[in-house]
Every structure is written in structure tokens, then in C-alpha cells.
Amino acid sequence: HSSAISACEKCAEWQSAFVVLADMDRAVLEPDVISCNSVISACEKGAEWKRAVALLTGTGQSVINPDVVSYNSMISSCGNAARW
């Protein structure tokens, strides 16, 4: 699943990245910080800063701890949209 999310990220396919992330949750696979970072990055590339912020702030409700990459991707997403 992480490879699929990475492929979505590279193509700025943020919608598909969210679908794969949701599929992981339904399949009882625990997404890791790398998977979430890839989705946040896909949001950045797809100019979906609100979704990047929502995913990062929603991450606090799960066992995933955001890292420096998580925050940098979200900041870049907001910066690209002049929302900082």
C-alpha cells in the first residue's frame, strides 16, 4: 500500500492517495508515518493545502506521530497556496 501511495504522490493524485490510505484502514493495516507523509505530499502537489492540514491535525487521533517531514510537507502545502 505504501508503494501505491508513493506513486500517487509522485503524480499529484491526492484523491487516489486518500483512497489507498482509507483502504489500509479498512483492511486493518496500520498506516505509518511514511504513508501519511506521502499523502500530505500528494496534497501539496495537488494544491490541496486544506486536506494536508486536516490529515496532519487528524493524525493526532491515531497512533501515528508526525515527524519533521510531515510538518515540512504541510508547511510547503500552505506556503504554495499563500495560506501561512
Side-chain angles (χ1 to χ4, degrees), residues 6-83:
S6 273
C8 294
E9 173 208 349
K10 288 179 174 66
C11 298
E13 291 289 332
W14 63 269
Q15 294 124 327
S16 299
F18 269 101
V19 168
V20 175
L21 191 65
D23 285 347
M24 287 178 76
D25 199 37
R26 282 192 293 273
V28 192
L29 298 171
E30 189 68 39
D32 59 10
V33 71
I34 296 169
S35 299
C36 289
N37 288 348
S38 293
V39 175
I40 292 168
S41 184
C43 291
E44 172 193 354
K45 292 174 182 167
E48 290 291 326
W49 68 273
K50 288 181 183 178
R51 293 183 190 276
V53 170
L55 181 60
L56 186 64
T57 57
T59 301
Q61 299 170 358
S62 71
V63 295
I64 299 167
N65 292 319
D67 62 8
V68 172
V69 175
S70 309
Y71 290 107
N72 282 340
S73 294
M74 186 203 59
I75 289 167
S76 291
S77 180
C78 292
N80 291 341
R83 297 292 180 176

